[in-house]
Amino acid sequence: MTLTTFLQQCLTGISLGGAYALIAIGYTLVYGILRLINFAHGDIFMMAGYFMIFAMASLPWFIAVPVVLIITVILGVSIERVAYRPLRSAPRMSVMISAIGVSYLLQNLATYLFTALPKGYPEIPFLKKIFQIGGLSASFVTFLTPVLTLVIVYALITLINKTKIGMAMRAVAKDYDTAALMGIKINKVITFTFAVGSLLAAVGSVLYFTDRMTVFPFSGSLPGLKCFVAAVFGGIGSIPGAVIGGFILGLGETALVAMGYSTFSDAFTFVLLIIILLIKPTGLFGEKTTDKV
């Protein structure tokens, strides 16, 4: 393998990892606030792909993209309001079953509305434009994805650490009941968290499907699972951990494909999950939990 080919594969892996990282952050944000694994998150990502297909059919891309981001946020917030909020005081298993139910509901709804046949993802001209830097040649979205991911993550960490709503999010994540007693509006914080997570899923959807060009009702299942693994690998609840986990998964998958082991690229994700759970169950950046007595 030449140096140029190696760098080309690294760029592809980093780009894929950037898309994974954005989706993984959605899992880790919701878990950090509610201690809930939002299994419907991957399907929100899939629905964002369909929203873009229909938005681009009648709108120019620079209007379609904001419209899709807004609709996806509305979908995520609506799911929290309808499926999760009424069960907030219920046993955690009930909420998890509700999340799985929402996931299957979105998959079957997409199948009913759009059929199970793959639909072509619209081409956003500037994202598909081929750029060449030295010996590296790739579409603009491949170069853009890791850079945009890091910018978004920096903005998100700044929001959490420097703003009033971010302080409220940290308080709720630390102690839900005490935060409520201190006058923090829990519903507002949780709604904001789902909105941010859904927004990141929509951005990740645009970046991911632009290179893969097709959307079908189950196209969010496997990426969603992989991004959940990325969040667990980095330490679920940790934003930097989710980002690093996403990049590691993207690079690992791309390396296997480059070596001719594409059959095992999906299995790699779950082997990695088993290894990290055996070695460090809380993930790379996860905090140790202590039992209160």
Side-chain angles (χ1 to χ4, degrees):
M1 181 184 290
T2 65
L3 178 61
T4 302
T5 306
F6 173 76
L7 292 175
Q8 187 83 44
Q9 295 298 331
C10 286
L11 178 62
T12 303
I14 291 171
S15 177
L16 177 61
Y20 283 165
L22 289 175
I23 304 164
I25 291 170
Y27 281 103
T28 213
L29 280 175
V30 171
Y31 182 84
I33 299 293
L34 285 177
R35 295 296 184 266
L36 162 70
I37 305 299
N38 182 16
F39 286 108
H41 192 62
D43 301 291
I44 293 173
F45 157 83
M46 172 270 296
M47 291 298 289
Y50 277 112
F51 295 154
M52 180 60 78
I53 291 172
F54 290 103
M56 287 280 287
S58 55
L59 298 170
W61 69 266
F62 53 85
I63 297 177
V65 171
V67 167
V68 168
L69 298 182
I70 291 168
I71 294 174
T72 307
V73 167
I74 292 171
L75 175 63
V77 170
S78 300
I79 288 171
E80 187 276 327
R81 185 69 181 267
V82 173
Y84 301 150
R85 187 175 298 183
L87 297 173
R88 201 168 291 164
S89 58
R92 196 163 295 170
M93 183 61 70
S94 301
V95 188
M96 187 177 296
I97 291 170
S98 178
I100 295 170
V102 172
S103 173
Y104 281 108
L105 173 65
L106 290 176
Q107 290 173 10
N108 284 275
L109 183 64
T111 304
Y112 177 76
L113 293 175
F114 314 126
T115 77
L117 296 174
K119 290 190 177 294
Y121 195 77
E123 186 172 305
I124 300 175
F126 84 99
L127 289 180
K128 293 297 290 182
K129 187 176 181 181
I130 302 299
F131 281 81
Q132 190 152 354
I133 300 176
L136 299 179
S137 177
S139 59
F140 180 61
V141 71
T142 305
F143 292 104
L144 175 66
T145 301
V147 176
L148 184 61
T149 299
L150 294 177
V151 170
I152 290 173
V153 169
Y154 176 78
L156 182 59
I157 291 174
T158 302
L159 181 144
I160 290 173
N161 291 327
K162 304 289 186 183
T163 66
K164 189 175 180 180
I165 186 70
M167 190 182 299
M169 289 171 70
R170 285 185 285 130
V172 174
K174 196 71 176 176
D175 193 318
Y176 183 98
D177 294 325
T178 303
L181 290 173
M182 295 297 290
I184 292 173
K185 296 179 179 177
I186 301 294
N187 287 337
K188 179 181 176 181
V189 172
I190 292 173
T191 298
F192 181 78
T193 303
F194 271 84
V196 172
S198 301
L199 179 64
L200 295 179
V203 174
S205 173
V206 173
L207 300 173
Y208 181 88
F209 287 121
T210 293
D211 262 349
R212 282 146 194 86
M213 300 303 291
T214 56
V215 184
F216 57 95
F218 300 97
S219 56
S221 299
L222 192 55
L225 274 175
K226 289 178 180 179
C227 295
F228 169 62
V229 170
V232 173
F233 180 86
I236 193 158
S238 166
I239 293 174
V243 174
I244 291 172
F247 279 122
I248 288 174
L249 284 191
L251 285 167
E253 278 188 40
T254 307
L256 285 173
V257 172
M259 290 186 291
Y261 298 108
S262 57
T263 307
F264 303 103
S265 63
D266 292 335
F268 163 77
T269 301
F270 302 102
V271 170
L272 194 64
L273 175 64
I274 293 168
I275 292 171
I276 194 65
L277 289 177
L278 289 173
I279 297 172
K280 198 172 187 298
T282 57
L284 293 179
F285 296 94
E287 297 180 357
K288 288 185 178 180
T289 55
T290 54
D291 293 328
K292 296 179 181 179
V293 293

